[in-house]
Amino acid sequence: MIINIKCNKKLDKKTVGSKAYHLNQMFRLGCQICDGYILTATFFDAFCSFNSISITDRDFSEKIEKGRFPGIQRDILNKVFKKLTNEKGRVIVRSGSLEEDTAVNSFAGIYESIGNISNCVDMLTAIKTVWASYYKSNVEEYAGMKRSSMPVIIQKMLQCDKAGMVFTRNPLTYEQEYVIEACLGSNDKILQDECEAERYVVSKDGKENRTRGVLTRREVKKLVQIADKIEHELGFPCDIEWGMAGKVCYMFQARPIVFTAKEDIYYYSREEMDCILLDRYAKPASVCYLSLLDAWQSKVYLSFYHKKTGKAMQEFPLCFLYNRVYWNNRYQQKYFQDDGGAFLYKKMKFYFLAATGYRKWYGRLRNYDKKIFGYQKRLVCAFELDELINLLTDVIKNFCIYIGIDHFRFLGIAQILYHKVEKMNMLQDIGIKTNQAKTVQVNQELLRLARDIRSHKEEYQLFAENDESTILAALEHDEKYHIIWGKLQGFLKEHGHRGIDCDDLYYPHWNENPQSVITLLRQFLKNHLDEETEQENTAERTGFWKRRLVNLCGSYMCLREDQRYYFDKSWVLLRAILLKIADCLLEDNILEERQDIFHLTIREIVDGAKYQEYFPNKKVILDRKEYFRKADEMIPPYILKDSVSVAVQKGAGASSYKVMGVSSGHAVGKIRIINSIDDLADVKKGEIGVVRTFHPSWTPILKVISGLIMNYGNMLSHGCVVAREYKIPVVVFNGEAQEALREGDLVSIEGDKGRIHILHKSDSDIE
């Protein structure tokens, strides 16, 4: 009926309740806890029996408060009080139900806890009050449940010099970092909002973000070590109450941090958003990929002038809505347009970063690639869930450290340099540098492969007369095609990490779906395309500083394309790891389908693999899948101002449209709608492509079309940057061009003036 909380044997959780069970675990782990005793459910049942109280009584809680303890219980409790107080101390009576302090419900502040009790009579009253609180209406409203009895904890009351909370995960962002809150005196000041706690954030690698100084560095380190040990022992991310008396640190409570799995996590907006849709995300992205982007932007450098990580900034570059990615205009205005201005020191710092940053990025590629190769080898041998989770976090960390760390500020440098070169009317000269990008090199290799196929009659007929699956099967199994099959295999080994449709981890890459490469080759063969010729560098005839600026801008345009190429090496590896994790979760009946893994956040996957109660239930996953499907069917708003959609383009029916020119030139041709890579094989030479999004792997199509209309984009969008190197005009419609233009429409586009003219409607549009 009554158990010493400092018992050295493992207690029964159902008998003593969650709070007492965790306190006993911490004691057996070697942590300091206050002396105390547990009144088990049996103790309560004996009390009810003595007072003829039944749980079915309508005034059950009132009868508990008015009840009397039987003599034997009074004697036991009197001895407990004397032992804990030594006649002059104080005790605290705490609730300790089984459903309390779980990963689903914390019940924080719902049940009564009564402290500073200085006599036995008040302690007896407090026990009855705590019992009665278990059956009051606010509890039922909170959890919709009632139990037959509740254990109670009686502990010695400690007068603290310092007290607070420590979280083994950031409770706001769920980042894997320790958050410590501390105040002088009792913990009640924090819990009852009577004082502002000082906060210390400590990363998992030990880096500390200090505030004023209630705690010393040694005390912070000690709390982190204790919290880490408790989390490991208890088996879940913890919210721990602690207090210090003298030099001794006591643990008062440990419970799981309650994480809520939201169904609409990246579907609905709950903030005042001032943003514009990124062209690469016209299609919706999965929750998994968006969570990766969300975490990434908090860990990287977002300013030209210091190396503070994103979480220290006031604005993040990316916003998320309708499972899509939007660019934050407030971030753009605050951090992305500042080249130092009139401040000489800042201006020098900007140009020093611009002159050296891209070189350092390329210098890190060797280590990045080396680690990727090592991770690929580890993946082959990894089958256990914990191995796969460790590999997942290692790949993400490698990406951030080596190539993701500077991405956004390098993007800003590229934009500032681009506008400077634009003002000098020398944009055509940056092509010498951008033609060195990996994207262009991959295109050249594909063109050479197409040339080899064209030079052999049988191979050419195979590609000209069959579909992709038939071609691929013949190449793989027919010995007479072994040479071209070997070349294709070599190409995929080198570049198979390239994506197909979108950066999202949800979609396969070339190595998973080589038919997409066959599609591109068929397109090259059909239109008899040859390799690009080298461009003349007219910038060599300009002054030194102008030439330097043009070359620097070209280097960052090239870097922008190369970043996408090398990002894909991590994306394809992460996808493979996640699918292997999905196989493990299918065996444990946590997922219903393999692709369901992409409807979980990275944090949910990592924490859920360690603590299974943190996996969202199947209904949450099902709802997220439905949001993903709905997002794919909708036309997303392009520009949002204070979360309200701003109309940019007029609707269908007009004969001309004012658009944004992003690559100069003039072209006339028939409209070809390109929704996915499957549409690329049908494109004919000279047509004008209309795309919702333009993936880097589609770049070869720019050798075929005479012009490009993008739904969304800007001067630095991938399709625009590369199209300028192919000397074709590109315009951005600033809306859904598919709503105004039909396949087969004859149109002219002017990249310089930013105009689309409909010259003749297609027959399919005439009723």
Side-chain angles (χ1 to χ4, degrees):
M1 291 206 314
I2 186 165
I3 300 171
N4 190 331
I5 204 165
K6 289 187 173 181
C7 176
N8 280 311
K9 67 178 182 178
K10 187 175 181 179
L11 300 179
D12 178 13
K13 195 175 191 178
K14 292 180 180 178
T15 302
V16 301
S18 299
K19 189 179 293 179
Y21 180 79
H22 295 151
L23 277 167
N24 178 256
Q25 276 185 294
M26 290 190 287
F27 168 72
R28 289 186 290 107
L29 189 60
C31 300
Q32 290 289 342
I33 68 170
C34 295
D35 294 342
Y37 292 88
I38 309 156
L39 307 184
T40 67
T42 310
F43 194 97
F44 174 72
D45 292 340
F47 171 85
C48 290
S49 178
F50 179 77
N51 289 278
S52 301
I53 300 173
S54 170
I55 195 171
T56 58
D57 294 342
R58 192 173 65 177
D59 52 352
F60 184 53
S61 58
E62 288 81 359
K63 286 186 175 181
I64 292 171
E65 290 179 315
K66 293 176 181 177
R68 295 181 302 109
F69 286 94
I72 189 169
Q73 287 190 341
R74 289 180 66 90
D75 292 342
I76 291 171
L77 292 173
N78 190 45
K79 289 176 183 178
V80 163
F81 181 81
K82 288 180 179 179
K83 192 164 185 178
L84 293 177
T85 63
N86 292 322
E87 302 293 347
K88 50 187 176 182
R90 295 171 184 262
V91 299
I92 182 171
V93 176
R94 311 173 69 188
S95 60
S97 72
L98 184 62
E99 66 270 16
E100 200 172 346
D101 294 348
T102 68
V104 179
N105 294 306
S106 69
F107 283 84
I110 298 296
Y111 302 138
E112 292 282 357
S113 283
I114 302 171
N116 287 312
I117 300 169
S118 58
N119 63 73
C120 189
V121 173
D122 288 347
M123 186 184 79
L124 298 181
T125 302
I127 292 169
K128 292 188 288 183
T129 301
V130 171
W131 274 335
S133 71
Y134 187 58
Y135 300 98
K136 292 189 175 174
S137 59
N138 62 328
V139 177
E140 195 171 0
E141 290 165 7
Y142 176 72
M145 62 178 76
K146 281 187 179 179
R147 301 287 183 185
S148 59
S149 55
M150 177 175 73
V152 163
I153 305 165
I154 306 169
Q155 278 186 287
K156 182 177 181 179
M157 193 78 181
L158 186 70
Q159 296 302 313
C160 299
D161 302 319
K162 305 172 183 180
M165 316 287 294
V166 55
F167 302 88
T168 61
R169 295 285 191 284
N170 191 314
L172 300 177
T173 64
Y174 310 134
E175 283 289 317
Q176 293 206 7
E177 58 192 10
Y178 301 94
V179 177
I180 301 171
E181 293 188 338
C183 70
L184 296 173
S186 168
N187 215 13
D188 293 343
K189 294 179 182 178
I190 293 177
L191 299 177
Q192 296 172 13
D193 295 323
E194 292 179 3
C195 75
E196 184 180 348
E198 291 192 4
R199 179 169 291 181
Y200 306 78
V201 179
V202 184
S203 65
K204 291 289 181 178
D205 59 8
K207 292 180 182 177
E208 178 190 340
N209 177 18
R210 293 179 61 81
T211 52
R212 292 186 295 277
V214 168
L215 299 176
T216 65
R217 289 187 182 275
R218 182 174 292 181
E219 288 169 339
V220 169
K221 185 177 179 180
K222 184 178 181 180
L223 279 169
V224 165
Q225 289 172 342
I226 293 171
D228 186 61
K229 191 161 56 170
I230 290 171
E231 178 183 352
H232 182 75
E233 173 66 20
L234 270 58
F236 48 74
C238 295
D239 159 4
I240 303 164
E241 289 184 33
W242 58 271
M244 290 184 183
K247 294 184 178 181
V248 181
C249 185
Y250 290 84
M251 299 297 114
F252 300 141
Q253 181 169 309
R255 60 190 173 209
I257 300 173
V258 178
F259 294 136
T260 303
K262 298 177 181 177
E263 296 91 340
D264 57 356
I265 181 171
Y266 293 120
Y267 191 74
Y268 291 114
S269 169
R270 292 182 178 82
E271 58 185 88
E272 294 302 303
M273 302 176 87
D274 181 6
C275 55
I276 185 168
L277 181 66
L278 284 172
D279 60 292
R280 293 173 67 81
Y281 301 100
K283 289 186 68 172
S286 67
V287 163
C288 186
Y289 179 66
L290 294 175
S291 75
L292 181 66
L293 295 185
D294 206 357
W296 171 34
Q297 66 176 344
S298 72
K299 297 173 183 173
V300 300
Y301 304 144
L302 299 182
S303 169
F304 304 140
Y305 304 109
H306 57 68
K307 287 189 174 182
K308 291 180 181 178
T309 55
K311 59 188 175 185
M313 310 294 275
Q314 291 177 298
E315 297 285 350
F316 279 3
L318 305 179
C319 306
F320 306 99
L321 175 65
Y322 302 122
N323 281 62
R324 289 174 169 86
V325 184
Y326 285 75
W327 183 257
N328 183 356
N329 290 324
R330 293 184 183 127
Y331 166 81
Q332 170 95 7
Q333 294 159 9
K334 197 171 186 68
Y335 301 112
F336 222 53
Q337 298 172 335
D338 182 8
D339 67 347
F343 299 97
L344 181 61
Y345 174 74
K346 284 183 71 177
K347 207 170 188 68
M348 289 174 63
K349 199 163 187 178
F350 172 81
Y351 278 103
F352 177 78
L353 176 62
T356 61
Y358 73 97
R359 297 178 189 274
K360 291 179 180 178
W361 189 88
Y362 283 112
R364 295 195 290 261
L365 282 181
R366 184 177 178 182
N367 282 334
Y368 172 76
D369 278 341
K370 185 178 178 181
K371 285 184 176 290
I372 288 287
F373 180 71
Y375 297 143
Q376 289 169 338
K377 291 173 68 176
R378 277 172 60 185
L379 179 60
V380 174
C381 306
F383 297 99
E384 297 298 324
L385 193 53
D386 58 343
E387 292 178 301
L388 292 166
I389 292 297
N390 289 336
L391 185 55
L392 178 72
T393 54
D394 286 347
V395 173
I396 293 172
K397 185 177 180 181
N398 177 61
F399 165 76
C400 287
I401 289 173
Y402 287 105
I403 65 171
I405 193 77
D406 284 312
H407 172 69
F408 289 103
R409 63 179 183 172
F410 285 174
L411 196 61
I413 290 172
Q415 179 172 284
I416 289 173
L417 294 176
Y418 181 90
H419 286 307
K420 290 181 182 297
V421 172
E422 185 181 30
K423 287 178 182 177
M424 299 188 308
N425 293 316
M426 296 181 67
L427 285 177
Q428 70 277 6
D429 294 313
I430 64 176
I432 300 300
K433 286 288 185 180
T434 51
N435 270 337
Q436 299 170 13
K438 292 294 290 186
T439 300
V440 177
Q441 291 175 26
V442 171
N443 292 350
Q444 294 280 34
E445 288 188 40
L446 273 173
L447 284 164
R448 285 193 288 271
L449 197 55
R451 185 188 60 196
D452 289 346
I453 294 167
R454 194 184 300 125
S455 65
H456 294 84
K457 184 178 179 181
E458 285 187 336
E459 292 173 358
Y460 182 76
Q461 284 182 329
L462 174 68
F463 277 78
E465 298 172 2
N466 298 282
D467 61 21
E468 283 81 357
S469 58
T470 304
I471 295 168
L472 199 60
L475 291 176
E476 186 174 2
H477 300 294
D478 195 328
E479 183 61 28
K480 65 183 177 184
Y481 301 121
H482 76 279
I483 294 177
I484 196 66
W485 173 243
K487 290 181 178 180
L488 180 60
Q489 289 290 92
F491 177 85
L492 289 172
K493 184 177 180 181
E494 182 70 18
H495 308 296
H497 60 276
R498 298 251 60 180
I500 289 176
D501 211 356
C502 155
D503 288 340
D504 192 358
L505 306 174
Y506 187 87
Y507 299 103
H509 293 243
W510 280 353
N511 57 8
E512 277 186 82
N513 186 9
Q515 289 185 20
S516 55
V517 179
I518 303 295
T519 298
L520 294 173
L521 287 170
R522 288 183 67 210
Q523 179 57 255
F524 286 168
L525 291 166
K526 183 171 69 174
N527 290 284
H528 298 279
L529 300 179
D530 295 314
E531 294 180 54
E532 291 90 342
T533 56
E534 198 166 313
Q535 292 176 269
E536 180 189 3
N537 187 359
T538 59
E540 293 296 335
R541 297 193 291 269
T542 63
F544 173 80
W545 290 111
K546 284 187 176 181
R547 186 167 69 248
R548 173 66 174 149
L549 191 62
V550 168
N551 288 335
L552 199 57
C553 180
S555 295
Y556 276 94
M557 293 294 104
C558 181
L559 173 67
R560 174 163 169 71
E561 297 309 306
D562 284 352
Q563 283 181 322
R564 299 297 182 189
Y565 178 86
Y566 287 100
F567 283 9
D568 278 344
K569 290 192 174 188
S570 287
W571 292 172
V572 71
L573 188 52
L574 288 171
R575 174 175 163 81
I577 295 167
L578 287 164
L579 288 173
K580 249 190 170 181
I581 290 172
D583 291 335
C584 296
L585 300 183
L586 282 169
E587 290 180 11
D588 294 336
N589 198 35
I590 293 168
L591 303 180
E592 288 191 351
E593 297 178 346
R594 204 175 186 222
Q595 290 289 105
D596 286 353
I597 192 73
F598 299 111
H599 299 292
L600 298 174
T601 68
I602 295 292
R603 181 195 62 78
E604 287 167 348
I605 293 166
V606 172
D607 278 347
K610 195 173 182 181
Y611 321 113
Q612 286 205 0
E613 61 266 39
Y614 285 105
F615 276 121
N617 60 46
K618 290 183 179 179
K619 183 184 181 305
V620 170
I621 297 173
L622 192 65
D623 287 342
R624 287 180 182 175
K625 289 168 72 172
E626 177 62 14
Y627 286 130
F628 185 69
R629 184 193 64 76
K630 284 166 59 179
D632 195 36
E633 293 177 352
M634 72 174 294
I635 296 175
Y638 178 43
I639 296 175
L640 291 167
K641 184 71 175 175
D642 294 329
S643 291
V644 177
S645 179
V646 178
V648 178
Q649 192 58 273
K650 54 189 175 184
S655 60
S656 69
Y657 293 89
K658 178 62 181 170
V659 292
M660 181 170 68
V662 290
S663 179
S664 62
H666 174 263
V668 176
K670 289 186 176 182
I671 291 293
R672 173 67 66 176
I673 305 294
I674 305 172
N675 289 320
S676 71
I677 197 166
D678 296 332
D679 299 324
L680 297 184
D682 299 324
V683 180
K684 294 182 177 65
K685 185 74 173 175
E687 291 181 325
I688 292 178
V690 176
V691 298
R692 283 191 170 89
T693 182
F694 193 92
H695 192 270
S697 66
W698 298 5
T699 302
I701 205 68
L702 297 175
K703 289 281 287 183
V704 180
I705 57 179
S706 62
L708 184 67
I709 300 171
M710 300 176 64
N711 282 3
Y712 318 108
N714 54 58
M715 293 287 188
L716 296 185
S717 297
H718 170 83
C720 307
V721 172
V722 182
R724 284 192 288 270
E725 311 322 314
Y726 286 87
K727 306 300 183 186
I728 66 172
V730 182
V731 296
V732 175
F733 192 76
N734 293 322
E736 286 283 315
Q738 292 85 342
E739 297 293 303
L741 305 173
R742 297 289 183 269
E743 187 135 300
D745 285 355
L746 182 66
V747 304
S748 73
I749 64 172
E750 299 177 67
D752 299 312
K753 297 180 180 178
R755 180 70 68 176
I756 298 174
H757 296 281
I758 301 177
L759 306 177
H760 179 72
K761 291 280 187 179
S762 68
D763 292 340
S764 62
D765 200 47
I766 300 173
E767 296 183 1

